[in-house]
Every structure is written in C-alpha cells, then in structure tokens.
Amino acid sequence: MKTKRKRTEPEIVMRGGKPTAVILDIEEYRSLLERLEGAEDLKMLETMRKKPLKFRKLEDFLKDSSGV
C-alpha cells in the first residue's frame, strides 16, 4: 500500500483562470478553525467589556434559574 505524502503547501484550485478553492492538510485546517474561534471569542469579550456590569442577588439568580 502506498503511503500518502503530507501536504506542506496549500493547493489552489483554478477555474476559468480564477482561484476557486484551496486544498490543505487537515491539521492545518483544524488549526485555522481554532484560531478563528479564538478571534471570535476575543471579539465577543471585547464587546462584553464595553457594557456596564450588572449584578443580581444570589437568591434572585437561583430563583430565575430553578425553572430551567
């Protein structure tokens, strides 16, 4: 059985002389997804930090969440 060689460089798929897709190693793809999720988390955190903090009494929180 032949061993598949690991892609080191992404391959660009061209159609009509224009790039339409990219083929890359699955580990590189997963790494890109993780970085994207991290960036989205940071953006959401930044947005949350701009809003004023709101505090509630523990009793109120427990009463609201008991029906979940």
Side-chain angles (χ1 to χ4, degrees):
M1 181 184 334
K2 289 185 177 181
T3 305
K4 293 182 181 180
R5 67 183 173 106
K6 187 174 180 177
R7 291 185 196 283
T8 56
E9 295 291 323
E11 286 186 39
I12 299 173
V13 178
M14 307 289 279
R15 287 200 181 125
K18 296 183 180 180
T20 58
V22 176
I23 301 172
L24 49 104
D25 179 67
I26 190 68
E27 292 304 320
E28 181 69 20
Y29 173 74
R30 289 179 179 146
S31 175
L32 287 171
L33 283 180
E34 285 181 24
R35 289 171 41 198
L36 177 61
E37 289 171 357
E40 289 172 346
D41 291 345
L42 287 175
K43 186 175 181 179
M44 183 171 44
L45 181 60
E46 192 175 291
T47 302
M48 290 171 62
R49 286 184 174 168
K50 291 179 181 178
K51 296 179 182 178
L53 292 176
K54 295 180 183 177
F55 296 97
R56 299 192 309 176
K57 291 182 180 180
L58 177 60
E59 295 83 19
D60 295 340
F61 174 77
L62 292 174
K63 187 172 31 173
D64 290 346
S65 63
S66 64
V68 175

